Amino acid sequence: MSDTSPDLRSWLATLEAAGQLRRVVARVDWNEEIGAITRANLSLGGPALLFENIAGHEDTRCTKLLTSGIGSRRQIQLMLGLPEDTSDAAIVRHLKGAFRQPIPPRIVDAGPVKENIVTGDDIDLWQFPAPKWHAADGGRYIDTFCGVVTGDRVTGRDNIGVYRGMIVGRDKIAKLMVPSQGWGGHAQQYKPEPMPVAVVYGWHDVLAFCAGSPFPKDVCEWDMMGALLGRPVDLVACETVPLHVPASAEIVVEGFIDPDPATFMDEGPFAEYPGYLDGHPAPAPVLRVTRITHRNAPGVAGHARRHSAGPVERRCHGQLRPLGNRVEFVGDEWNWRYHRRMDVTGVQWHQHRGADPQDL
């Protein structure tokens, strides 16, 4: 691993040096085209794609979008600093060993994410390239490969999860919230008060890798990211919420989610990874944005849900071994897969919407 602070830019450099990044300079449309290209690329086991010419985003605050950053075995090996001939079993052993040695984050005073601080009427989420990923989606989904940060009011421990979100206004994101998930429990602690939230867009892909993994609730994802990187994650304080985010993140959106159903707005539908569509919009909590901070010339990462468990997923995604109701370790990008030792070769489950991994 590099001695420099990890971020999206160092991750892009790693991918490019290994021939695992393609820069897409042809003009592409955020309306379904990026999603279609991404899904086809993932199905073929292709490289990461950095879209640099997105219609309508030629001169917005953010003009670039990365997809497919950890969509193959080779990319997982690169993320973990492992050689190309590392077997699946060796990847699993590496993850198990790393996750048993958590490295807590450290707080720093400042970082590149503070290069630009956007307030008041200047806040405009439409400035960021959020695609409509699938034809039947209810809108433009900005939260597909991000880290949603919330804090446990009792323990002070952060939770970082990947929770989908659709732009519903220049300063509003409608969020799917499931009570059994980490931030769902935090929201219950805050009721009837609004819950502070920070959303991290564009950092090293260990963020989404760990944020999308069902760790036990007493494990902090910052510690697991540090374990994979072999160094602490440098965190900086947010501007308007009592939370911390990576100092070298590309973009951070801060705000509050009100639990009052009167404030909810329609969210969805969205084509989820098992291949189903929820079918219709439904009222959902809304993140009301109070501040945006970002680096100069920032980039973001996004993800199109790929249907079911394809061969790439079966090869490269981390595996779990449930021990009773506890998870021994986890490493995964999006589809959570549980392998239980039996007299057969293995049994796979896909997590259904709203299921708690610890209940499996």
Side-chain angles (χ1 to χ4, degrees), residues 63-82:
T63 62
K64 301 175 183 179
L65 175 71
L66 174 72
T67 70
S68 312
I70 45 175
S72 71
R73 176 198 282 139
R74 182 60 189 133
Q75 291 163 353
I76 296 295
Q77 292 166 341
L78 289 168
M79 185 189 70
L80 300 175
L82 299 175

PDB file of all heavy atoms in Angstrom, residues 63-82:
ATOM      1  N   THR A  63     -17.820  16.867 -12.966  1.00  0.00           N
ATOM      2  CA  THR A  63     -17.998  16.486 -14.373  1.00  0.00           C
ATOM      3  C   THR A  63     -17.652  15.023 -14.649  1.00  0.00           C
ATOM      4  O   THR A  63     -17.827  14.563 -15.777  1.00  0.00           O
ATOM      5  CB  THR A  63     -17.108  17.365 -15.274  1.00  0.00           C
ATOM      6  OG1 THR A  63     -15.728  17.138 -14.940  1.00  0.00           O
ATOM      7  CG2 THR A  63     -17.436  18.846 -15.092  1.00  0.00           C
ATOM      8  N   LYS A  64     -17.169  14.284 -13.646  1.00  0.00           N
ATOM      9  CA  LYS A  64     -16.686  12.920 -13.864  1.00  0.00           C
ATOM     10  C   LYS A  64     -17.412  11.919 -12.971  1.00  0.00           C
ATOM     11  O   LYS A  64     -17.760  12.225 -11.838  1.00  0.00           O
ATOM     12  CB  LYS A  64     -15.181  12.847 -13.588  1.00  0.00           C
ATOM     13  CG  LYS A  64     -14.337  13.767 -14.461  1.00  0.00           C
ATOM     14  CD  LYS A  64     -12.873  13.724 -14.044  1.00  0.00           C
ATOM     15  CE  LYS A  64     -12.031  14.695 -14.848  1.00  0.00           C
ATOM     16  NZ  LYS A  64     -10.615  14.685 -14.425  1.00  0.00           N
ATOM     17  N   LEU A  65     -17.584  10.715 -13.502  1.00  0.00           N
ATOM     18  CA  LEU A  65     -18.248   9.644 -12.758  1.00  0.00           C
ATOM     19  C   LEU A  65     -17.504   8.336 -13.000  1.00  0.00           C
ATOM     20  O   LEU A  65     -17.272   7.942 -14.145  1.00  0.00           O
ATOM     21  CB  LEU A  65     -19.703   9.508 -13.211  1.00  0.00           C
ATOM     22  CG  LEU A  65     -20.496   8.347 -12.612  1.00  0.00           C
ATOM     23  CD1 LEU A  65     -20.784   8.609 -11.128  1.00  0.00           C
ATOM     24  CD2 LEU A  65     -21.811   8.138 -13.357  1.00  0.00           C
ATOM     25  N   LEU A  66     -17.141   7.657 -11.914  1.00  0.00           N
ATOM     26  CA  LEU A  66     -16.466   6.359 -11.991  1.00  0.00           C
ATOM     27  C   LEU A  66     -17.463   5.243 -11.717  1.00  0.00           C
ATOM     28  O   LEU A  66     -18.252   5.320 -10.776  1.00  0.00           O
ATOM     29  CB  LEU A  66     -15.341   6.287 -10.961  1.00  0.00           C
ATOM     30  CG  LEU A  66     -14.635   4.937 -10.832  1.00  0.00           C
ATOM     31  CD1 LEU A  66     -13.760   4.658 -12.052  1.00  0.00           C
ATOM     32  CD2 LEU A  66     -13.805   4.873  -9.548  1.00  0.00           C
ATOM     33  N   THR A  67     -17.426   4.191 -12.531  1.00  0.00           N
ATOM     34  CA  THR A  67     -18.207   2.986 -12.262  1.00  0.00           C
ATOM     35  C   THR A  67     -17.300   1.764 -12.391  1.00  0.00           C
ATOM     36  O   THR A  67     -16.211   1.833 -12.950  1.00  0.00           O
ATOM     37  CB  THR A  67     -19.402   2.835 -13.231  1.00  0.00           C
ATOM     38  OG1 THR A  67     -18.914   2.520 -14.546  1.00  0.00           O
ATOM     39  CG2 THR A  67     -20.245   4.102 -13.278  1.00  0.00           C
ATOM     40  N   SER A  68     -17.775   0.635 -11.875  1.00  0.00           N
ATOM     41  CA  SER A  68     -17.108  -0.668 -12.017  1.00  0.00           C
ATOM     42  C   SER A  68     -15.727  -0.692 -11.375  1.00  0.00           C
ATOM     43  O   SER A  68     -14.832  -1.401 -11.830  1.00  0.00           O
ATOM     44  CB  SER A  68     -16.974  -1.057 -13.507  1.00  0.00           C
ATOM     45  OG  SER A  68     -18.184  -0.882 -14.197  1.00  0.00           O
ATOM     46  N   GLY A  69     -15.538   0.049 -10.277  1.00  0.00           N
ATOM     47  CA  GLY A  69     -14.234   0.123  -9.635  1.00  0.00           C
ATOM     48  C   GLY A  69     -13.804  -1.153  -8.947  1.00  0.00           C
ATOM     49  O   GLY A  69     -12.605  -1.444  -8.868  1.00  0.00           O
ATOM     50  N   ILE A  70     -14.756  -1.909  -8.414  1.00  0.00           N
ATOM     51  CA  ILE A  70     -14.420  -3.207  -7.803  1.00  0.00           C
ATOM     52  C   ILE A  70     -15.402  -4.259  -8.312  1.00  0.00           C
ATOM     53  O   ILE A  70     -16.107  -4.913  -7.548  1.00  0.00           O
ATOM     54  CB  ILE A  70     -14.394  -3.158  -6.258  1.00  0.00           C
ATOM     55  CG1 ILE A  70     -15.604  -2.413  -5.675  1.00  0.00           C
ATOM     56  CG2 ILE A  70     -13.106  -2.544  -5.761  1.00  0.00           C
ATOM     57  CD1 ILE A  70     -15.668  -2.462  -4.157  1.00  0.00           C
ATOM     58  N   GLY A  71     -15.420  -4.431  -9.630  1.00  0.00           N
ATOM     59  CA  GLY A  71     -16.352  -5.357 -10.257  1.00  0.00           C
ATOM     60  C   GLY A  71     -15.721  -6.642 -10.740  1.00  0.00           C
ATOM     61  O   GLY A  71     -16.384  -7.428 -11.407  1.00  0.00           O
ATOM     62  N   SER A  72     -14.452  -6.878 -10.423  1.00  0.00           N
ATOM     63  CA  SER A  72     -13.804  -8.112 -10.870  1.00  0.00           C
ATOM     64  C   SER A  72     -12.821  -8.586  -9.812  1.00  0.00           C
ATOM     65  O   SER A  72     -12.439  -7.848  -8.903  1.00  0.00           O
ATOM     66  CB  SER A  72     -13.045  -7.869 -12.185  1.00  0.00           C
ATOM     67  OG  SER A  72     -11.893  -7.057 -11.954  1.00  0.00           O
ATOM     68  N   ARG A  73     -12.389  -9.840  -9.969  1.00  0.00           N
ATOM     69  CA  ARG A  73     -11.424 -10.401  -9.025  1.00  0.00           C
ATOM     70  C   ARG A  73     -10.118  -9.599  -9.024  1.00  0.00           C
ATOM     71  O   ARG A  73      -9.550  -9.305  -7.977  1.00  0.00           O
ATOM     72  CB  ARG A  73     -11.126 -11.855  -9.368  1.00  0.00           C
ATOM     73  CG  ARG A  73     -10.038 -12.462  -8.465  1.00  0.00           C
ATOM     74  CD  ARG A  73      -9.434 -13.709  -9.060  1.00  0.00           C
ATOM     75  NE  ARG A  73     -10.298 -14.857  -8.899  1.00  0.00           N
ATOM     76  CZ  ARG A  73     -10.496 -15.771  -9.847  1.00  0.00           C
ATOM     77  NH1 ARG A  73      -9.929 -15.619 -11.021  1.00  0.00           N
ATOM     78  NH2 ARG A  73     -11.273 -16.811  -9.635  1.00  0.00           N
ATOM     79  N   ARG A  74      -9.651  -9.214 -10.218  1.00  0.00           N
ATOM     80  CA  ARG A  74      -8.385  -8.484 -10.279  1.00  0.00           C
ATOM     81  C   ARG A  74      -8.474  -7.156  -9.539  1.00  0.00           C
ATOM     82  O   ARG A  74      -7.521  -6.747  -8.867  1.00  0.00           O
ATOM     83  CB  ARG A  74      -7.991  -8.240 -11.747  1.00  0.00           C
ATOM     84  CG  ARG A  74      -6.651  -7.514 -11.896  1.00  0.00           C
ATOM     85  CD  ARG A  74      -5.528  -8.321 -11.274  1.00  0.00           C
ATOM     86  NE  ARG A  74      -4.263  -7.580 -11.204  1.00  0.00           N
ATOM     87  CZ  ARG A  74      -3.498  -7.524 -10.117  1.00  0.00           C
ATOM     88  NH1 ARG A  74      -3.862  -8.139  -9.001  1.00  0.00           N
ATOM     89  NH2 ARG A  74      -2.367  -6.863 -10.135  1.00  0.00           N
ATOM     90  N   GLN A  75      -9.598  -6.472  -9.648  1.00  0.00           N
ATOM     91  CA  GLN A  75      -9.758  -5.202  -8.953  1.00  0.00           C
ATOM     92  C   GLN A  75      -9.792  -5.403  -7.443  1.00  0.00           C
ATOM     93  O   GLN A  75      -9.243  -4.598  -6.685  1.00  0.00           O
ATOM     94  CB  GLN A  75     -11.020  -4.500  -9.447  1.00  0.00           C
ATOM     95  CG  GLN A  75     -10.893  -4.018 -10.885  1.00  0.00           C
ATOM     96  CD  GLN A  75     -12.227  -3.706 -11.519  1.00  0.00           C
ATOM     97  OE1 GLN A  75     -13.283  -3.962 -10.964  1.00  0.00           O
ATOM     98  NE2 GLN A  75     -12.186  -3.143 -12.726  1.00  0.00           N
ATOM     99  N   ILE A  76     -10.412  -6.479  -6.992  1.00  0.00           N
ATOM    100  CA  ILE A  76     -10.405  -6.788  -5.559  1.00  0.00           C
ATOM    101  C   ILE A  76      -8.977  -7.061  -5.098  1.00  0.00           C
ATOM    102  O   ILE A  76      -8.545  -6.600  -4.036  1.00  0.00           O
ATOM    103  CB  ILE A  76     -11.309  -7.998  -5.249  1.00  0.00           C
ATOM    104  CG1 ILE A  76     -12.771  -7.683  -5.585  1.00  0.00           C
ATOM    105  CG2 ILE A  76     -11.179  -8.419  -3.789  1.00  0.00           C
ATOM    106  CD1 ILE A  76     -13.389  -6.586  -4.747  1.00  0.00           C
ATOM    107  N   GLN A  77      -8.221  -7.808  -5.893  1.00  0.00           N
ATOM    108  CA  GLN A  77      -6.818  -8.063  -5.551  1.00  0.00           C
ATOM    109  C   GLN A  77      -6.040  -6.761  -5.436  1.00  0.00           C
ATOM    110  O   GLN A  77      -5.252  -6.568  -4.496  1.00  0.00           O
ATOM    111  CB  GLN A  77      -6.191  -8.960  -6.619  1.00  0.00           C
ATOM    112  CG  GLN A  77      -6.729 -10.381  -6.655  1.00  0.00           C
ATOM    113  CD  GLN A  77      -6.333 -11.112  -7.921  1.00  0.00           C
ATOM    114  OE1 GLN A  77      -5.955 -10.495  -8.926  1.00  0.00           O
ATOM    115  NE2 GLN A  77      -6.435 -12.441  -7.895  1.00  0.00           N
ATOM    116  N   LEU A  78      -6.248  -5.859  -6.376  1.00  0.00           N
ATOM    117  CA  LEU A  78      -5.550  -4.569  -6.340  1.00  0.00           C
ATOM    118  C   LEU A  78      -5.944  -3.775  -5.106  1.00  0.00           C
ATOM    119  O   LEU A  78      -5.091  -3.157  -4.456  1.00  0.00           O
ATOM    120  CB  LEU A  78      -5.872  -3.769  -7.605  1.00  0.00           C
ATOM    121  CG  LEU A  78      -5.258  -4.277  -8.903  1.00  0.00           C
ATOM    122  CD1 LEU A  78      -5.887  -3.579 -10.098  1.00  0.00           C
ATOM    123  CD2 LEU A  78      -3.746  -4.057  -8.901  1.00  0.00           C
ATOM    124  N   MET A  79      -7.224  -3.768  -4.777  1.00  0.00           N
ATOM    125  CA  MET A  79      -7.685  -3.033  -3.605  1.00  0.00           C
ATOM    126  C   MET A  79      -7.025  -3.549  -2.332  1.00  0.00           C
ATOM    127  O   MET A  79      -6.717  -2.788  -1.408  1.00  0.00           O
ATOM    128  CB  MET A  79      -9.204  -3.127  -3.490  1.00  0.00           C
ATOM    129  CG  MET A  79      -9.800  -2.285  -2.363  1.00  0.00           C
ATOM    130  SD  MET A  79     -11.547  -2.635  -2.112  1.00  0.00           S
ATOM    131  CE  MET A  79     -11.476  -4.282  -1.414  1.00  0.00           C
ATOM    132  N   LEU A  80      -6.791  -4.852  -2.292  1.00  0.00           N
ATOM    133  CA  LEU A  80      -6.212  -5.483  -1.106  1.00  0.00           C
ATOM    134  C   LEU A  80      -4.687  -5.555  -1.160  1.00  0.00           C
ATOM    135  O   LEU A  80      -4.062  -6.041  -0.219  1.00  0.00           O
ATOM    136  CB  LEU A  80      -6.789  -6.888  -0.936  1.00  0.00           C
ATOM    137  CG  LEU A  80      -8.308  -6.969  -0.749  1.00  0.00           C
ATOM    138  CD1 LEU A  80      -8.769  -8.418  -0.706  1.00  0.00           C
ATOM    139  CD2 LEU A  80      -8.748  -6.231   0.504  1.00  0.00           C
ATOM    140  N   GLY A  81      -4.106  -5.099  -2.257  1.00  0.00           N
ATOM    141  CA  GLY A  81      -2.657  -5.150  -2.389  1.00  0.00           C
ATOM    142  C   GLY A  81      -2.125  -6.549  -2.582  1.00  0.00           C
ATOM    143  O   GLY A  81      -1.001  -6.857  -2.168  1.00  0.00           O
ATOM    144  N   LEU A  82      -2.893  -7.401  -3.268  1.00  0.00           N
ATOM    145  CA  LEU A  82      -2.515  -8.799  -3.467  1.00  0.00           C
ATOM    146  C   LEU A  82      -2.091  -9.034  -4.910  1.00  0.00           C
ATOM    147  O   LEU A  82      -2.578  -8.382  -5.828  1.00  0.00           O
ATOM    148  CB  LEU A  82      -3.698  -9.711  -3.120  1.00  0.00           C
ATOM    149  CG  LEU A  82      -4.205  -9.631  -1.679  1.00  0.00           C
ATOM    150  CD1 LEU A  82      -5.457 -10.480  -1.509  1.00  0.00           C
ATOM    151  CD2 LEU A  82      -3.125 -10.069  -0.696  1.00  0.00           C
TER     152      LEU A  82
END
